[in-house]
Amino acid sequence: MKSQTLRILSRFKLYFVNNKFLAYADDVNILGGSVHTVKENVEALVVATKEIGLQVNADKTKYMVMSRDRNAGRGHGVNIDNSYIERVEEFKYLGTTITDQNSIQEEIKSRLKLGNACYYSVQNLLSSTLLPKNLKIKIYRIIILPVVLYGCETWSLTMREERRLRVFENRVLRKVFGPKRDEVTGEWRKLHNEELNDLYSLPNIVRVVKSRRMRWAGHVARMGEDRGVHRCWWGSLRERGHWGDQDVDGRIILRWIFRKLEGVVGTG
C-alpha cells in the first residue's frame, strides 16, 4: 500500500502544488476552497488511481462543506464516474469526528461515550477493596484517560465542555475513593468535588488537555516552514506582519500564542 500511495502521489501533481491531499493508508482526504475545486481534485485523483489499476469506491466516499452559511454548496454536487457522492454534516477521519460547523462538541461527546464504555468495563476493579487507591488511579490514567483524550491537542474547549470533562472524571474518582461517612449524621455519602480535588493530587483532566495543547504547540513551532500544519498555525502572525520581524518584542508573540491556546497556562 505504501508503494502504491507513493506512485499515486507521483502522478497526483495537485498534491505538490496546493498541499490539499491527505493520505494515511487507504484513508484519503481531499481539501478545497470550494466545491468546484474539490471536484477537480477528485477527478485528478480518480485519473491517478486508474493509472496504477486502483479504483475509488464511490459508495464509501463522502463530501462535506464547512461554512457558516448552512446552504453553502447546496446547488452543487460531486460525482465519481457518474456515481453521486453523498454530502454529510460530519464524518470520522483517523478516529476523530469532524463536523461541517467545525464544532468540537460532537467529538467530545463521542470521546466521553467511549470513555464511559471503558469505565464500565473496569469499574469492578475501581471499586475493589483489594486494590490500593494509587493502583486504581493508574488504571484510570493508563486505560480510561487515553481513550477520552485521543486527539485532544486540537480541542478548543468552552466552559461547557470543560464541565462535561470534569463531571466524567469526578464520577470515576468517586468510584476510586469510595463514599465517606458523614461526621454529623454518621451516614455514608458521596465525596464532594472539593474533597475529590484534595484527594486527587495529579492534574485534573482539563489541565491535562491544556498541557497537551501547549506541548503540541511547541512541536508545531519547531516544524519546518514547509510543513502544512506549521503554515496553518503561524499564518495569522505572517498576515499581521509579525513573522520574521526582528524588532517585535517576543512577548507579543507569546501573548498571541496564549490567546490562541485560550489561556492554557495558569488555568484549571
Side-chain angles (χ1 to χ4, degrees), residues 149 152 155 157 165 205-213:
L149 299 187
C152 68
W155 290 359
L157 296 177
L165 291 172
I205 189 170
V206 174
R207 296 199 66 177
V208 171
V209 171
K210 294 182 177 181
S211 174
R212 293 186 183 183
R213 291 177 61 194

Side-chain angles (χ1 to χ4, degrees), residues 239-253:
E239 293 170 1
R240 298 181 185 185
H242 295 327
W243 184 262
D245 188 348
Q246 300 299 323
D247 297 327
V248 68
D249 191 335
R251 289 174 295 181
I252 295 178
I253 296 180

